[in-house]
């Protein structure tokens, strides 16, 4: 089994996406990082945010994990703001300390999205799959899950189980 990490990017640390991530963790053994619990500023070309939590977090991820799973709710047909900020900040390591940015090459990326129903827009995974290609990462795929009445249905669990098998190999 490959060592992996799930990056939880939701505005609620205990919301529906966290419930799905918890189930995925149980199926994979991957660790979880909750971006909502981190101080990560927006990307800027002057690198004014270099003292926030991102640099330490990113270096730890690229040095210790082979598979990175991004988990985000769908907000206004796209990823959460905190997830977008995290992805944008990867640019820090494409401009400065490039050796850490290059450590993404050959690693695996996957994505899990969440909403209240099976309604994910078809193009939703594109920023993740294209970012993986740009960064030289292997995109393992994505899955959409939903929570209804605070419960994961058997259908959703089946989808996550299949996804877990794909990302663990």
């Amino acid at each position: 089994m490959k060592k992996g990490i799930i990056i939880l990017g939701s505005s609620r640390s205990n919301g529906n996406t966290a419930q799905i991530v918890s189930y995925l963790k149980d199926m994979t053994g991957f660790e979880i990082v909750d971006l909502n619990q981190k101080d990560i500023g927006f990307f800027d070309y002057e690198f004014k945010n270099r003292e926030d939590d991102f640099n330490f977090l990113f270096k730890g991820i690229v040095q210790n994990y082979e598979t990175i799973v991004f988990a985000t709710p769908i907000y206004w047909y796209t990823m959460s703001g905190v997830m977008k900020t995290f992805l944008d900040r990867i640019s820090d390591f494409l401009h400065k300390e490039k050796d850490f940015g290059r450590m993404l090459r050959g690693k695996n990326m996957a994505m899990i999205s969440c909403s209240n129903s099976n309604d994910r827009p078809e193009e939703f995974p594109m920023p993740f799959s294209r970012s993986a290609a740009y960064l030289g990462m292997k995109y393992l795929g994505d899955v959409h899950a939903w929570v209804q009445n605070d419960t994961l249905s058997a259908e959703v669990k089946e989808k996550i189980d299949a996804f877990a098998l794909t990302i663990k190999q």
Side-chain angles (χ1 to χ4, degrees):
M1 182 171 72
K2 297 176 180 170
K3 192 171 181 184
I5 188 164
I6 305 166
I7 309 294
L8 172 60
S10 176
S11 295
R12 293 186 303 161
S13 294
N14 296 313
N16 293 346
T17 306
Q19 183 177 353
I20 288 167
V21 163
S22 178
Y23 185 81
L24 181 61
K25 177 187 179 185
D26 290 345
M27 297 297 103
T28 60
F30 289 6
E31 295 180 40
I32 299 171
V33 169
D34 180 0
L35 296 179
N36 199 38
Q37 302 301 314
K38 302 292 181 186
D39 176 27
I40 300 176
F42 297 101
F43 172 77
D44 71 271
Y45 287 96
E46 296 174 11
F47 307 100
K48 295 176 185 173
N49 295 318
R50 64 182 162 261
E51 300 301 321
D52 67 10
D53 293 337
F54 181 78
N55 288 340
F56 181 76
L57 175 61
F58 181 80
K59 288 177 181 179
I61 290 169
V62 298
Q63 290 175 323
N64 295 299
Y65 300 97
E66 188 173 340
T67 300
I68 303 167
V69 180
F70 293 103
T72 180
I74 297 176
Y75 293 153
W76 290 98
Y77 312 102
T78 190
M79 70 185 81
S80 68
V82 69
M83 182 63 70
K84 177 68 167 94
T85 298
F86 182 89
L87 288 173
D88 285 350
R89 285 294 297 280
I90 293 173
S91 296
D92 287 8
F93 291 96
L94 303 180
H95 295 282
K96 298 223 179 223
E97 297 188 77
K98 294 178 183 181
D99 290 342
F100 286 101
R102 289 183 186 117
M103 290 176 78
L104 289 171
R105 291 182 187 159
K107 293 190 183 294
N108 302 310
M109 181 194 293
M111 186 272 297
I112 187 166
S113 57
C114 174
S115 68
N116 292 324
S117 62
N118 189 9
D119 63 350
R120 184 178 81 181
E122 183 179 329
E123 59 280 346
F124 186 86
M126 186 186 62
F128 297 95
S129 62
R130 294 242 177 122
S131 294
Y134 179 78
L135 295 167
M137 300 176 75
K138 180 180 179 186
Y139 191 68
L140 300 178
D142 50 80
V143 67
H144 180 68
W146 55 95
V147 176
Q148 292 178 317
N149 302 318
D150 295 322
T151 305
L152 297 181
S153 68
E155 177 185 4
V156 168
K157 287 180 179 179
E158 271 184 39
K159 289 175 75 162
I160 296 172
D161 292 347
F163 181 66
L165 287 174
T166 300
I167 63 176
K168 286 192 318 186
Q169 296 178 3

